[in-house]
Amino acid sequence: MKPMTRVFPRLRLHSAVGGNRGVTVEQAIGQATKEMTVHRDATFSMIGLAVEQLRKLSGEAEGDISTAEVLTLAEVVVDLAGLYSAPLCRAAQSLCALCDKANAGEHVSRAAIQVHTEAIHLLYTMGGTESPTASAIVEGLRSVVVKAR
Amino acid sequence: MKAHIAPTLKINLENSVVLLVDDSRMSLDILNSAFMGFGVRERLRFDNTDEAKRVLLSRTIDLMVIEAGLADDSAFKLMHWLRHEAAAPTCYTPVVMIVGHAKQSTVMRARECGVNFVVAKPISAGTLLSRVVWIAREHRAFLKGENYAGPDRRFHNLGVPGGTEGRRAEDLGVEVGQATDPNMSQNEVDKMMKPMRVDL
């Protein structure tokens, strides 16, 4: 095997930090958070649509739940909530993990999926904010994934 | 890995060019807003890797932020092209890869495709900026070999991987060999380890 070559590239980005010009990290984070807030309502509306679709899919009385469809919707929630709401994002990630198990051939009960979609809906109605209740819900979902058989 | 940065540290990203690639229009808009808040004036946004590749070929990009879960594995294909086929200095472009549904296999793939950082959602503006600052402050070596091209993944020198002789010229073998100097006395060892009061 050929040995690796190593170089130390000089990046323009190196000169962007630690000088006297510009803004402080604190100011930059504050400004970015403010800019991101502009999209919050529209993003939450889109998350709401995905959450409703998830509930509809998992609430269907007849037949098996399509975990591929559930996974697609859960990934939408992860992607959007991942920039605003940590609890919602983590709950949706837990649902993704459950779908991965099902898609890998493991048996996943309908109840395990339903408890996830209802919990995601609850977190959504709570505004997706961090709280001890939200953390407990997410923790509970993780244990459902571990125990899902 | 936690990246601690001082809140008072000054950054000036106004002359940096950032390329954002995500197939979700909404995510792209949010990332764009975040980098606008960081002070980046030139933000190039694309929802596909073909256009991103065209830009990478035509101008210098200071940072690329790309979503891992693009259709047809295109984020990983772009990374392979960038690190293995693009000419210098384009191949050295720093890359942050954002992972939404972070399966362990996806994170490993991201690490192996030569990105500088893998950031798993949920992320905040603070997380994102800390990674940008980290890249701006680090002077990690860029490695290019048959199987891997990208920033050095060894943050700490823990020696060569077990059971191998190492792949780098400076990797030392596992055989220690015979001592060339006499053993140090306990007193000499203590002097190295303990802080001593000295008169100045």
Side-chain angles (χ1 to χ4, degrees):
Chain A
M1 191 186 286
K2 273 198 314 192
M4 281 198 170
T5 58
R6 63 167 32 203
V7 290
F8 288 88
R10 178 81 199 138
L11 306 174
R12 280 201 314 206
L13 214 51
H14 288 155
S15 60
V17 171
N20 294 322
R21 294 178 61 225
V23 295
T24 65
V25 163
E26 194 172 27
Q27 288 168 334
I29 292 172
Q31 190 58 37
T33 307
K34 196 172 150 190
E35 298 286 353
M36 287 167 76
T37 308
V38 172
H39 306 284
R40 198 178 191 281
D41 288 349
T43 306
F44 265 76
S45 297
M46 285 181 74
I47 294 171
L49 291 174
V51 171
E52 277 313 311
Q53 281 179 278
L54 273 174
R55 289 182 86 201
K56 199 174 161 197
L57 262 179
S58 66
E60 281 169 6
E62 299 289 314
D64 289 335
I65 297 173
S66 163
T67 48
E69 282 180 71
V70 172
L71 179 61
T72 304
L73 287 166
E75 282 179 337
V76 170
V77 178
V78 170
D79 282 337
L80 296 175
L83 297 158
Y84 290 108
S85 165
L88 253 178
C89 176
R90 293 197 180 106
Q93 281 170 332
S94 181
L95 181 54
C96 288
L98 198 63
C99 292
D100 286 339
K101 274 190 162 189
N103 294 337
E106 286 187 47
H107 174 71
V108 170
S109 71
R110 172 183 282 266
I113 293 174
Q114 283 172 336
V115 81
H116 269 81
T117 55
E118 289 309 313
I120 290 169
H121 179 252
L122 179 61
L123 289 168
Y124 176 74
T125 55
M126 286 162 62
T129 49
E130 298 248 30
S131 68
T133 310
S135 301
I137 292 171
V138 172
E139 218 38 59
L141 292 179
R142 283 186 183 144
S143 63
V144 169
V145 175
V146 172
K147 289 174 190 161
R149 291 282 180 272
Chain B
M1 182 192 321
K2 274 194 170 175
H4 296 287
I5 47 172
T8 51
L9 179 75
K10 283 216 162 181
I11 57 162
N12 182 10
L13 295 167
E14 65 179 20
N15 296 320
S16 303
V17 183
V18 175
L19 175 61
L20 306 169
V21 191
D22 195 323
D23 56 1
S24 158
R25 198 74 224 170
M26 186 63 84
S27 297
L28 209 48
D29 287 344
I30 299 166
L31 282 175
N32 181 56
S33 293
F35 279 93
M36 186 161 71
F38 297 155
V40 179
R41 283 193 196 149
E42 201 165 357
R43 305 169 307 274
L44 309 168
R45 297 182 275 176
F46 297 107
D47 61 5
N48 65 82
T49 52
D50 290 340
E51 285 180 271
K53 187 174 172 180
R54 262 198 292 279
V55 169
L56 283 161
L57 280 169
S58 64
R59 58 180 305 183
T60 303
I61 298 296
D62 296 306
L63 175 71
M64 176 165 80
V65 180
I66 188 165
E67 162 67 37
L70 300 182
D72 302 325
D73 229 15
S74 56
F76 292 97
K77 286 176 187 162
L78 180 69
M79 278 310 301
H80 188 273
W81 167 81
L82 180 68
R83 294 304 192 219
H84 289 271
E85 294 169 38
T90 303
C91 62
Y92 306 135
T93 305
V95 178
V96 172
M97 184 172 267
I98 296 178
V99 181
H101 167 32
K103 276 196 287 191
Q104 200 176 357
S105 57
T106 311
V107 176
M108 287 304 291
R109 275 187 79 199
R111 189 173 173 265
E112 282 160 16
C113 76
V115 300
N116 295 63
F117 269 115
V118 182
V119 183
K121 287 182 178 175
I123 54 172
S124 62
T127 314
L128 209 49
L129 187 63
S130 72
R131 297 314 186 258
V132 176
V133 170
W134 188 295
I135 292 170
R137 295 174 94 180
E138 74 177 2
H139 291 268
R140 250 197 291 177
F142 186 95
L143 307 176
K144 202 156 196 171
E146 280 175 40
N147 298 323
Y148 176 75
D152 193 344
R153 291 170 292 182
R154 294 187 199 169
F155 279 88
H156 307 289
N157 192 351
L158 301 174
V160 300
T164 70
E165 292 179 354
R167 293 163 298 186
R168 302 179 192 173
E170 71 272 21
D171 280 338
L172 299 172
V174 290
E175 293 298 328
V176 178
Q178 294 294 317
T180 54
D181 295 316
N183 288 344
M184 293 170 80
S185 68
Q186 187 59 50
N187 205 22
E188 287 171 314
V189 174
D190 289 345
K191 273 185 184 167
M192 284 181 73
M193 306 298 287
K194 289 181 184 169
M196 311 287 269
R197 187 186 295 276
V198 291
D199 293 323
L200 295 173

